[in-house]
Amino acid sequence: MFLGAVFFVLFSLYFIFSTFISGELTPVVESAVAFSGQINQINKEQVDLGLPVRLKIPAIKVDAAIEYVGLTLDGAMDTPKNQEDVAWFNLSPRPGEIGSAIITGHYGWKNRKASAFDNLYKLRKGDKLYVEDDMGAIITFVVRENRRYDPDADATYILNSGDKKAHLNFITCEGDWDKTTKSYSKRLVVFTDKE
């Protein structure tokens, strides 16, 4: 049973990062192995954490509902259905659990509407953000750093915390729009730590 679960995680993460939000990062087997290890690190004490329902980032005026996403039929990490919302990747830990939780959000204007993560790039080290769960608890995170990646960059650092602490990483697109690939030229990842 355990080997089946590890195989599923490895197989899933291979496809997630072969497209990483519409063709972003290339597959990294080491990331998948590290991520499967994180799943086993979650404390039994953390079972009391609820499901995330709202993200608030005062520094950039984000107050967004949190959708839950997994994998698309073609094996990619899914994205929020509504551009004003963000999405927790539900194969990662819940925000506040040990490991690196992942929240994705759209970037760019569509139908004359801004997207949730249009200003994510403005976050700086020390900025605070808040995740509310379905039991009313609010978990505070502090920005550690932000990084930009090429679409074919190594994704290891995004998934692997390895320090037995709780992190929350945000992923969005950035850069120039490519009409041929229907994707942006860069990926922005903001790394945060639980306060």
Side-chain angles (χ1 to χ4, degrees), residues 41-83:
Q41 291 176 1
I42 296 172
N43 263 335
K44 298 206 185 308
E45 300 164 4
Q46 297 178 346
V47 173
D48 292 337
L49 285 172
L51 292 167
V53 294
R54 193 138 207 101
L55 171 67
K56 295 182 181 184
I57 311 176
I60 58 172
K61 297 179 175 67
V62 167
D63 185 353
I66 299 176
E67 300 176 18
Y68 308 145
V69 298
L71 299 173
T72 63
L73 292 176
D74 62 352
M77 184 188 305
D78 208 350
T79 57
K81 303 300 177 237
N82 298 313
Q83 71 191 65

Side-chain angles (χ1 to χ4, degrees), residues 148-172:
R148 283 152 184 86
Y149 293 88
D150 289 325
D152 58 352
D154 181 345
T156 305
Y157 195 64
I158 297 166
L159 288 175
N160 182 18
S161 61
D163 60 4
K164 297 186 180 179
K165 295 181 180 178
H167 306 282
L168 176 58
N169 300 333
F170 299 101
I171 302 170
T172 194

Side-chain angles (χ1 to χ4, degrees), residues 105-121:
H106 291 290
Y107 168 84
W109 285 73
K110 184 177 179 182
N111 300 325
R112 297 183 184 181
K113 289 184 181 179
S115 295
F117 280 172
D118 283 349
N119 293 312
L120 196 66
Y121 72 94

Side-chain angles (χ1 to χ4, degrees), residues 17 20-21 24-25 57 60 77 102-107 116-124 143 145-151 153 158 168-176 183-191:
F17 286 97
F20 187 41
I21 307 177
E24 276 121 57
L25 301 180
I57 311 176
I60 58 172
M77 184 188 305
I102 305 291
I103 288 184
T104 67
H106 291 290
Y107 168 84
F117 280 172
D118 283 349
N119 293 312
L120 196 66
Y121 72 94
K122 293 181 179 178
L123 289 178
R124 297 294 175 254
V143 174
E145 67 176 311
N146 53 23
R147 291 186 179 188
R148 283 152 184 86
Y149 293 88
D150 289 325
I158 297 166
L168 176 58
N169 300 333
F170 299 101
I171 302 170
T172 194
C173 295
E174 194 179 64
D176 299 321
S183 182
Y184 285 93
S185 59
K186 295 283 182 187
R187 306 303 173 256
L188 172 65
V189 181
V190 174
F191 299 91

